[in-house]
Amino acid sequence: MSRLGVGVIGAGVISQTYLENLTSFPDVEVVAVGDMIPERARAKAEEHGVGSWGTADAVLDDPNVDLVVNLTIPQVHVEVSRAAVAAGKHVWTEKPLGLDRESTRALLAAADAAGVRIGSAPDTILGPGFQTAKRAIAEGVIGTPLFVQTAFQTQGPDLWHPEPAFLFAQGAGPLLDMGPYYFSALVSLLGPIAGVAARGSRPRTERSIHTGPRAGETFPVEVPSTVQVLSTFEGGQHGTHLLSFDSALERHGIIEIHGSEGTMVLPDPNRFEGRIAYVKPLGVFRDGMKTEQEWIEIEQEGTVVGRGLGVLDMARALAAGRPHVATGELGYHVLDVMLSAEESASTGQYLEIESTVAPVPLLPAGFDPFAAELA
């Protein structure tokens, strides 16, 4: 079996980490980089030793490209992915998979008809932090999961991103930009979400760029910049979720799983590693006082890499004939959950989620990104 040929479309900020990692994996070969600004594609290709560059069409027309990595802006995710499917390519796309149910569902149907696969970010759920935590929960260290709490709070990406307007436009905001990390992690752990209720706010209708060549320019805020969601899972668990670009308190990556026999804290779902620990219920009293709870640390297992891990998993899954972990169906269900939360915040109603998804598998035992399996 030979390495999978990869073409990258979109040479913006996120392409740097993808290209660094994909060019280091022995089981994939990046053969082309494309962008709407070909010179930007050329710069990335030359920096990472990729032999071919040009427009998106140049990547789609390249016979050596088996899988397209779609790193374009969310507004054109489905359009670019559909073009890749039409060209007979497998697709890995940055999150969200799409911005509406109809076109995203049609994308998955087109991929099925063409016999190609869709994978969707985030692939942080494939990192050793999350995989270790998932195994521990499956082994019963906190008993039966009962409810969850998550939080992402920041002053906003306009403080650090040189082109932040798209993060406050339709199809983004903290819900659709950061929500995929949290909801993908929770669905992978607990199964599909059955319903949501949400509230949102937009304290400012205009914000400013704080860094880069356009610093000082203003742009409109089109969507709620703070959203709070109440979720109900098909398995009976429920959760509360805060996502905010308006918080003076910077607090990222809060995921707590509360079970019948303990509570676990998980790594930041936007990262591939982190602290995993749990506490057991208090069972001893001394002089009428509860004893101190002690955290039990769990050492993560596996090699830490970064974005691009989902592409590698797809390459190996294709060769082995097994399902890959971060599927298009998972991406669609998470999108459906977030769009329903958006609609609930607008209408004030509790909304049932129409989609569902099969159980999300763990990576194969002993998965090593740098041990060649295909080359």
Side-chain angles (χ1 to χ4, degrees):
M1 294 178 287
S2 60
R3 292 188 294 173
L4 191 79
V6 171
V8 174
I9 297 180
V13 173
I14 197 64
S15 69
Q16 183 68 19
T17 185
Y18 267 95
L19 287 165
E20 287 174 357
N21 292 321
L22 290 173
T23 54
S24 71
F25 298 150
D27 287 337
V28 300
E29 180 182 7
V30 182
V31 297
V33 179
D35 193 88
M36 63 185 297
I37 304 173
E39 286 303 314
R40 187 161 62 177
R42 177 180 182 176
K44 288 295 182 184
E46 290 179 348
E47 179 182 356
H48 296 281
V50 179
S52 178
W53 57 271
T55 63
D57 286 340
V59 175
L60 296 176
D61 293 340
D62 192 325
N64 295 313
V65 172
D66 303 304
L67 181 148
V68 167
V69 177
N70 181 359
L71 305 182
T72 58
I73 61 173
Q75 287 78 2
V76 296
H77 278 180
V78 168
E79 177 185 345
V80 172
S81 295
R82 279 294 296 264
V85 167
K89 318 290 188 185
H90 304 287
V91 175
W92 171 268
T93 179
E94 252 303 320
K95 49 78 185 169
L97 180 62
L99 296 183
D100 66 83
R101 296 179 182 88
E102 184 177 7
S103 68
T104 307
R105 190 73 255 174
L107 167 64
L108 297 181
D112 285 343
V116 297
R117 295 195 188 192
I118 301 288
S120 179
D123 53 1
T124 45
I125 63 172
L126 282 72
F130 184 82
Q131 291 284 303
T132 300
K134 183 172 179 175
R135 286 193 295 270
I137 291 173
E139 290 165 3
V141 297
I142 60 169
T144 302
L146 302 175
F147 65 97
V148 303
Q149 293 169 281
T150 70
F152 171 87
Q153 298 167 248
T154 179
Q155 296 175 69
D158 46 324
L159 293 182
W160 58 267
H161 200 295
E163 299 282 347
F166 78 97
L167 294 168
F168 293 83
Q170 294 294 333
L175 180 60
L176 268 77
D177 181 48
M178 297 306 302
Y181 298 107
Y182 293 84
F183 291 116
S184 295
L186 294 175
V187 170
S188 179
L189 282 173
L190 304 178
I193 293 174
V196 293
R199 294 294 183 270
S201 60
R202 187 175 53 144
R204 286 179 280 173
T205 59
E206 188 176 81
R207 296 177 81 132
S208 300
I209 301 173
H210 290 265
T211 188
R214 297 179 57 198
E217 292 185 24
T218 60
F219 60 89
V221 178
E222 299 177 1
V223 294
S225 47
T226 292
V227 180
Q228 298 196 70
V229 182
L230 174 66
S231 63
T232 304
F233 291 79
E234 288 185 11
Q237 306 91 350
H238 53 89
T240 56
H241 321 282
L242 169 61
L243 300 121
S244 179
F245 286 167
D246 300 310
S247 172
L249 174 63
E250 292 279 335
R251 186 169 64 168
H252 310 161
I254 307 299
I255 294 192
E256 298 173 352
I257 309 291
H258 303 271
S260 58
E261 299 176 24
T263 289
M264 178 179 288
V265 294
L266 279 73
D268 185 338
N270 192 19
R271 300 185 181 278
F272 290 80
E273 61 176 329
R275 181 179 183 235
I276 311 157
Y278 65 97
V279 291
K280 290 292 189 177
L282 290 169
V284 178
F285 288 77
R286 293 178 182 169
D287 300 324
M289 301 293 291
K290 293 180 180 179
T291 59
E292 185 74 18
Q293 284 187 300
E294 295 184 5
W295 285 100
I296 303 167
E297 305 289 331
I298 299 176
E299 184 177 355
Q300 68 180 17
E301 299 178 1
T303 303
V304 178
V305 280
R307 283 166 172 78
L309 193 57
V311 177
L312 177 62
D313 176 52
M314 286 185 70
R316 293 181 176 178
L318 284 162
R322 64 169 174 84
H324 56 288
V325 175
T327 63
E329 292 295 335
L330 173 60
Y332 179 80
H333 179 64
V334 169
L335 174 67
D336 193 14
V337 169
M338 295 186 300
L339 292 178
S340 296
E342 197 172 57
E343 292 158 3
S344 173
S346 176
T347 64
Q349 297 178 322
Y350 175 86
L351 298 179
E352 295 184 353
I353 309 299
E354 294 186 2
S355 66
T356 189
V357 66
V360 179
L362 283 158
L363 283 174
F367 187 94
D368 184 348
F370 300 110
E373 294 184 8
L374 309 182

